[in-house]
Amino acid sequence: MNIAIIGTGYVGLVTGTCFAEVGHSVICVDCDEAKVKLLQGGGIPIFEPGLEEMVKKNVAEGRLNFTASTAEGVEKSDVIFIAVPTPPLEDGAVDLSYIERVARDIANAMTSYKVVVDKSTVPVKTGEKVAETIKRYCKADCEFDVISNPEFLREGFAVEDLMNPDRIVVGTTSEKPKAAMREIYEPFNAPIIFTDINSAELIKHAANSFLAMKISYINAVAAICEATGANVEEVATGIGMDERIGRRFLNASLGFGGSCFPKDLSAFIRISDDLGYDFGLLKKVQEINAEQMDRFLKKITDTLWILKDKTIGVLGLAFKQNTDDVRMSPAIEVCQRLLKEGATLRVHDPKAMEKAKELLPAEGVTYVDDMDSVAEGCDALVVATEWPEFKELNLAKTRDAMTAPLLFDGRNLFDPAEMEQLGFTYKSIGR
Ligand code: UGA
């Protein structure tokens, strides 16, 4: 199948690469010419495990190409995936101007039947608008179908998730695009669920909101655990073994972040409001998430009392493990709030230090390459991201390097009993 992917962000680049990997001919389009040049030369603008090798291999084998011209992408493909950003607006709504722009560009370039697939996360009924736009601007007056195919990959596991999907959701009731999607996804051996286009769009927002709700739920339970001396991990295991609940996404933390959950929750609440339904449940999910960060920072101030002129080590800057993405990262928020209180920081992240520099002030932050040296001279150490390598931290060296061995674990990476034995004052979440 000849496929164009418009937008080479996390979703577009990984999707295009994995489609090429299974044998399709893929042309990735991006309006950022510098990015296209980088990709053409074998460079990768993001860190994502396994991606670089896969891009290089498929470029070398001729199945994966990059261009800055939408017209070229449209001309060379039968199926066009839209994977451009849909960033949040001030009021929680979604900025759909990139989608609209791409719809016009596709319309202008189209000279024969195309399947146009929306893969970006969009509010329900966006597909209908895309179809109207293409119809309005297509001079050649050719036939086309607009369908929805939401993506469920997680950053940090994007290649793995894309190559082994739980399910493929396709929103269309027409036979031609159904056949095209069956052909594209056949090598992935996953069940395909066909729905109407509005349902497919809703599935994406409903799935992300549900996962965010699971995290806020366990974080609320963690607060009760702290008040009673119970252990949130044991509770999560106990409830998670019920197949109806499931253990995944029940890891208590300092709150969820990233470019998806916060944005998609706001968008879903806003869409529901516009449709006349007050989605109070999801508003509470947001509230619990904000409170979780406050409760975590309160633990630090309750213990250290005054933060001014204190040195605090922070392990982790990315919004989660395995990524260099710092957008809406809880770890960055921790840093910003500690700095605001007058603390100085010594920070480390295996991949996200460069991107963090764009968000954190230059003054008051020292970037430390070696995680075992972060704690030097620190009054406290904070674990803010769930990088598995932090479990290998040299705890004895860390303890001895600090003015007082005080560790705030926002990701429950260490065992409380072991930490106590090592002489740490150790505070984690819900334990
Ligand atoms: C999320 C969804 O998991 C994907 O299915 C979806 O495709 C993606 O959004 C998207 O819409 O593009 P992602 O944002 O990459 O993926 O990251 P997650 O793994 O879901 O983690 C989100 C946040 O929740 C992170 O800050 C993570 O640390 C936190 N989290 C996750 C917890 O605090 N506890 C958990 O149990 C799980």
Side-chain angles (χ1 to χ4, degrees):
M1 184 68 80
N2 294 317
I3 299 171
I5 311 269
I6 305 190
T8 58
Y10 275 95
V11 169
L13 183 58
V14 180
T15 306
T17 308
C18 291
F19 283 168
E21 177 72 13
V22 298
H24 300 303
S25 169
V26 179
I27 179 156
C28 288
V29 183
D30 203 293
C31 58
D32 180 345
E33 292 196 18
K35 199 169 171 189
V36 169
K37 277 214 177 81
L38 175 78
L39 287 161
Q40 281 167 338
I44 301 286
I46 51 170
F47 168 74
E48 192 60 50
L51 184 62
E52 190 167 352
E53 300 84 320
M54 206 183 255
V55 169
K56 282 194 174 133
K57 175 178 163 229
N58 284 284
V59 167
E61 290 171 7
R63 285 186 303 271
L64 182 60
N65 293 286
F66 298 96
T67 177
S69 156
T70 305
E72 187 188 346
V74 171
E75 190 201 322
K76 290 186 173 162
S77 58
D78 307 306
V79 180
I80 304 155
F81 285 78
I82 303 177
V84 294
T86 50
L89 291 168
E90 289 273 302
D91 60 357
V94 179
D95 179 358
L96 293 170
S97 59
Y98 298 101
I99 298 264
E100 196 266 352
R101 173 83 248 171
V102 168
R104 276 189 283 144
D105 290 347
I106 293 172
N108 283 326
M110 239 164 59
T111 51
S112 60
Y113 173 81
K114 304 283 173 188
V115 178
V116 178
V117 188
D118 176 46
K119 211 172 222 333
S120 301
T121 301
V122 292
V124 60
K125 290 184 161 295
T126 300
E128 290 177 3
K129 289 280 178 206
V130 170
E132 275 171 32
T133 306
I134 295 180
K135 197 163 174 46
R136 187 174 313 129
Y137 287 93
C138 181
K139 294 185 204 83
D141 198 23
C142 33
E143 289 197 2
F144 65 92
D145 277 296
V146 173
I147 71 171
S148 166
N149 172 223
E151 182 46 61
F152 302 102
L153 63 81
R154 293 161 302 161
E155 286 182 25
F157 302 88
V159 172
E160 189 186 317
D161 285 353
L162 222 136
M163 294 305 287
N164 308 287
D166 301 330
R167 79 298 202 189
I168 306 295
V169 173
V170 177
T172 180
T173 44
S174 310
E175 287 312 313
K176 246 167 140 173
K178 275 189 190 174
M181 295 300 272
R182 275 196 200 96
E183 187 182 331
I184 290 172
Y185 281 109
E186 204 256 336
F188 294 92
N189 289 321
I192 303 185
I193 302 156
F194 290 107
T195 68
D196 62 87
I197 190 162
N198 290 337
S199 301
E201 289 169 341
L202 265 178
I203 284 170
K204 173 69 191 185
H205 270 135
N208 272 5
S209 301
F210 191 91
L211 291 168
M213 182 179 76
K214 265 188 109 170
I215 301 169
S216 276
Y217 182 82
I218 202 65
N219 281 339
V221 172
I224 307 297
C225 289
E226 284 173 18
T228 55
N231 181 327
V232 73
E233 277 179 10
E234 288 173 8
V235 176
T237 305
I239 61 174
M241 282 172 83
D242 184 331
E243 271 181 23
R244 292 169 303 174
I245 297 173
R247 177 64 179 83
R248 293 178 76 189
F249 277 69
L250 285 180
N251 295 320
S253 66
L254 73 180
F256 57 76
S259 65
C260 301
F261 284 176
K263 174 190 84 156
D264 291 352
L265 264 178
S266 298
F268 202 26
I269 290 168
R270 176 62 199 262
I271 294 160
S272 308
D273 269 343
D274 290 348
L275 293 168
Y277 180 75
D278 176 8
F279 217 143
L281 175 67
L282 296 186
K283 290 179 185 165
K284 197 69 204 170
V285 169
Q286 284 183 319
E287 236 175 86
I288 293 171
N289 199 48
E291 283 163 14
Q292 192 65 3
M293 175 62 73
D294 294 343
R295 288 181 351 96
F296 183 67
L297 287 157
K298 187 169 180 301
K299 280 183 197 160
I300 302 177
T301 44
D302 279 355
T303 315
L304 281 181
W305 186 23
I306 304 290
L307 295 188
K308 190 164 179 290
D309 299 332
K310 295 269 162 62
T311 305
I312 301 183
V314 180
L315 284 173
L317 297 166
F319 82 100
K320 59 183 252 189
Q321 61 179 310
N322 280 351
T323 180
D324 61 352
D325 196 346
V326 290
R327 288 175 292 173
M328 300 289 287
S329 168
I332 296 287
E333 187 176 342
V334 167
C335 293
Q336 285 165 337
R337 288 176 63 171
L338 293 174
L339 286 166
K340 209 166 153 214
E341 293 289 324
T344 350
L345 306 180
R346 290 174 59 76
V347 302
H348 169 80
D349 189 284
K351 294 285 174 201
M353 296 213 277
E354 280 314 306
K355 289 196 173 157
K357 284 178 190 164
E358 292 163 22
L359 297 183
L360 293 175
E363 211 170 298
V365 186
T366 306
Y367 294 84
V368 184
D369 286 331
D370 166 29
M371 71 172 174
D372 289 324
S373 306
V374 170
E376 264 167 39
C378 285
D379 299 285
L381 184 63
V382 173
V383 177
T385 308
E386 68 273 41
W387 281 97
E389 39 268 68
F390 292 163
K391 288 188 186 160
E392 310 304 321
L393 186 71
N394 185 335
L395 290 168
K397 184 178 172 196
T398 297
R399 177 197 58 206
D400 296 344
M402 299 176 76
T403 55
L406 191 53
L407 202 149
F408 297 93
D409 186 351
R411 298 293 190 165
N412 288 352
L413 286 192
F414 299 105
D415 176 33
E418 208 177 296
M419 295 304 281
E420 208 167 294
Q421 221 169 33
L422 280 163
F424 279 93
T425 300
Y426 176 74
K427 307 207 175 191
S428 54
I429 310 282
R431 304 188 299 174

